[in-house]
Amino acid sequence: MISTQLIVYCINPSCNSPINPMGDSFCASCQTPLVHRYLWATGSLSAQIPAGTKVADRYEVISHQIWLDTQPGLPPDVPEELPKEVIPYLRLYQERLHLPQAYAFACYLEGDTTDILLLENVPIDETGNIYPTIVEAWEQATAVRQVYWLWQILQLWTPLSELGLSRSLLVVDNLRVEGWCVRLLELYQTPADEKLSLQNLGQCWQFWVASAKASVAKGLQNIVQQMCETEVELEAINIQLNNLLLASAAELPLVLKVAGSTDIGPVMAQNEDACYPNALSDLDEALLPHLSIVCDGIGGHEGGEVASKLAVQSVKLQIRAFLTEVTEQTALVSPELLQEQLEASLRVINNVICARNNEQKRQGKERMATTIVMAVQVPQRVQTSTGWQSNNTHELYLANVGDSRAYWITRNYCQLLTVDDDVATREVRLAKSLYRKALLRADASALTQALGTKDAESLRLKVQRLIVEEDGILLLCSDGLSDNNWVEQSWQNYAIPVLTGELTVEDAVANWINLANEKNGHDNTSVVLTYYRVSPEYLVPVTPALPEEIIEAEIQKELEELEELEEPISLTESSRSLLDLDLDLDLDLDISEEPFTSPVIPPTLIRKPKRGKPLVRLGVVLALLVGGASLGLFAWWQINPQGFQQMCRQFPQKVQQACPPGK
């Protein structure tokens, strides 16, 4: 059957009005945001169906295996007993950033015994065009992105291999890229008689690395050669690839700008959200811009409000100690170790709230808890290919518990980075239901975990690791904004002006909150935006040099301070000192007579090598002498921000002359 006109219906089941999918953004009848839900049809049968065909009176074939659901508001057809081939998609739901998800089954011809599996969350853009393969995008990619793509594939190797799906990573047409992110079209089962190993993966990669960018070509070729010629362990390859990734990323410049705020909303009696940074609270220079947090409290007055603020303050203590430990290391700390420490921090924070519940004898729904989504920039010292060490802040770790979310937004796309901990997700992860069917449950959005409800051992945690290698915005928000997919529907109007310099980060935060109050309005809203800029053209301006008398005075001051410099206390001592630090909640709520103390994890997970004499400041002095004022000040600002700020206060006009605008 060939369709002559494409008709799409509103996604609101109570409306189901026909609309124009290529023009309107909202239904004219009920103003529901419209979703163009493009699907990938799997199997050889779907590949034979020509464009323009209407399947099951619902799906319009747009092009080769790309279908459009013309009635996305209606629940798709799902058999009562799920076929075996769909189970891996459900088990791997936590990897939805990279993998597609099962959507429905469709019968092409009446009486056909073979149903076609349709996948959503596929690498297809909002106009129905498929994203390019890695091979197609490889030569245009930067050196960092080339290494980053391979690193992502390597991280998927183990979870896919455990389910017999490693062949999915060897089919070139199956590997698509949306900017930095590697995404798969579908999952391929590895035949039982076929044993795949890292050697097969290396053989697939060797054709790509032959045309890698010069700065990473030699390193990638050495790694691939090991994979192809020896029985190398996955961990060894992972370490080498990670070192190359961080070294190449460290050569990129990076400027960060962060702002956040929380709002009670138009109908709520109190604000149970909390965030950091917050325009209304004190900002901690030791944590900015490395830390951002959003928490959404649960438990009503003197419950959720307390839990969210407990969590924010506890996280700040934990991360302050964590960052101190990491920045003092002289060797790279592995992503696995950093993820373990961040997980341990969340478990400590969970038990802090849980203990408060137990002290106050809260039971059942009276127990206070909170969601959390947090992002931590890890400023490790990285040796680059040019020989100098950089306090690399391109390494981003992301964790969430509950349904507060994180999005990565560029000029071209908006990507949801987190997975909600709710009943619908649980049903999918346990392979009991497809996601769209699970959403029909009355309790679909009920949380399955939050900080503070139970002992930390019951928490199921996942800490993601990302590399910032493009200009973009990290948006953290509570469900006051993310409900009804308003971020996905409106990101272009609210984020792109920040990326183009037309709007400040602070104004963007206020605009997002106003949108949430207008469109959702049923809840509190918290928003934290971090703007990341790696564009080098903005960071290498030609500036006049500082007057010689200022340079000489500062050199003399630096030399005097070097003579007085004493050996710093050990990191272990500095972290343990936080164990005795009382936490001032400033809640204005009389909930406990005892002061609260947040325990800090002892820094036993990171081995601290011996530290040499601190000669770095002398290097800055030499940079001022031989590298010009602008370069020297930039290096000084990177390594000694407090000293730089002091100079700015003493000589504001002179420093302004030597620094680029906005620095």
Side-chain angles (χ1 to χ4, degrees), residues 94 151 322 335-347 374-376 378 396-401 460-466:
Q94 287 294 120
W151 185 83
F322 171 80
E336 294 77 18
L337 197 54
L338 294 173
Q339 287 166 329
E340 288 175 10
Q341 278 209 281
L342 290 172
E343 287 182 13
S345 296
L346 285 175
R347 295 187 191 280
M374 72 175 190
V376 183
V378 180
L396 175 65
Y397 288 83
L398 193 67
N400 73 296
V401 179
R460 182 176 48 83
L461 298 173
K462 179 184 178 182
V463 178
Q464 301 179 67
R465 188 259 201 145
L466 308 170

Side-chain angles (χ1 to χ4, degrees), residues 413-652:
Y413 46 77
C414 172
Q415 298 165 329
L416 174 60
L417 302 177
T418 52
V419 176
D420 294 345
D421 292 316
D422 56 20
V423 170
T425 299
R426 182 198 65 192
E427 294 297 290
V428 175
R429 188 172 46 83
L430 297 178
K432 293 182 178 181
S433 173
L434 301 193
Y435 184 67
R436 296 296 162 184
K437 184 176 181 180
L439 285 178
L440 300 177
R441 294 175 55 118
D443 61 349
S445 62
L447 297 183
T448 54
Q449 65 174 3
L451 292 182
T453 55
K454 300 177 183 177
D455 186 82
E457 295 303 315
S458 66
L459 281 178
R460 182 176 48 83
L461 298 173
K462 179 184 178 182
V463 178
Q464 301 179 67
R465 188 259 201 145
L466 308 170
I467 299 295
V468 178
E469 42 85 82
E470 64 179 345
D471 290 1
I473 291 173
L474 180 69
L475 166 65
L476 307 185
C477 65
S478 60
D479 61 349
L481 173 61
S482 62
D483 274 357
N484 301 312
N485 295 320
W486 277 108
V487 174
E488 291 87 341
Q489 294 295 328
S490 58
W491 63 271
Q492 289 156 315
N493 295 330
Y494 288 82
I496 290 182
V498 177
L499 295 170
T500 57
E502 301 170 34
L503 193 68
T504 67
V505 177
E506 291 80 4
D507 287 342
V509 168
N511 290 348
W512 280 113
I513 289 177
N514 291 337
L515 174 72
N517 289 338
E518 177 187 350
K519 299 297 184 180
N520 287 330
H522 58 274
D523 201 354
N524 316 132
T525 299
S526 291
V527 173
V528 177
L529 287 184
T530 307
Y531 170 37
Y532 299 84
R533 194 178 73 194
V534 301
S535 302
E537 60 267 23
Y538 296 113
L539 302 178
V540 193
V542 178
T543 57
L546 278 176
E548 291 185 4
E549 59 268 19
I550 293 183
I551 297 177
E552 292 175 357
E554 289 304 322
I555 291 174
Q556 183 61 36
K557 180 180 178 182
E558 289 288 342
L559 292 174
E560 292 174 356
E561 291 181 355
L562 279 172
E563 294 175 357
E564 300 173 357
L565 194 62
E566 297 179 355
E567 184 70 18
I569 62 171
S570 72
L571 297 175
T572 302
E573 292 172 350
S574 68
S575 292
R576 286 178 178 171
S577 67
L578 292 175
L579 288 169
D580 301 322
L581 182 62
D582 287 341
L583 180 63
D584 181 14
L585 293 177
D586 192 26
L587 298 180
D588 296 324
L589 295 173
D590 186 18
I591 60 172
S592 173
E593 296 180 358
E594 297 294 327
F596 168 71
T597 303
S598 174
V600 176
I601 301 174
T604 57
L605 293 178
I606 296 179
R607 295 180 180 177
K608 176 181 177 294
K610 290 185 178 181
R611 185 182 176 194
K613 293 290 183 180
L615 300 178
V616 67
R617 300 175 74 183
L618 182 57
V620 176
V621 174
L622 294 176
L624 281 165
L625 282 170
V626 302
S630 181
L631 176 61
L633 284 173
F634 179 78
W636 189 12
W637 168 63
Q638 288 288 314
I639 299 168
N640 185 10
Q642 292 181 344
F644 181 81
Q645 291 172 4
Q646 184 177 0
M647 180 180 176
C648 289
R649 288 191 294 268
Q650 293 177 348
F651 306 99

Side-chain angles (χ1 to χ4, degrees), residues 123 129-142 145-146 149 171-179 183 185 204 207-208 211 213:
N129 294 312
I130 194 169
Y131 285 112
T133 65
I134 287 184
V135 173
E136 293 169 337
W138 182 261
E139 291 189 2
Q140 288 73 41
T142 63
R145 183 161 288 185
Q146 288 177 342
W149 284 342
V171 180
V172 173
D173 284 345
N174 197 45
L175 297 170
R176 303 282 167 162
V177 287
E178 182 187 12
R183 300 182 62 185
L185 268 176
C204 180
F207 299 103
W208 308 346
S211 59
K213 290 294 190 290

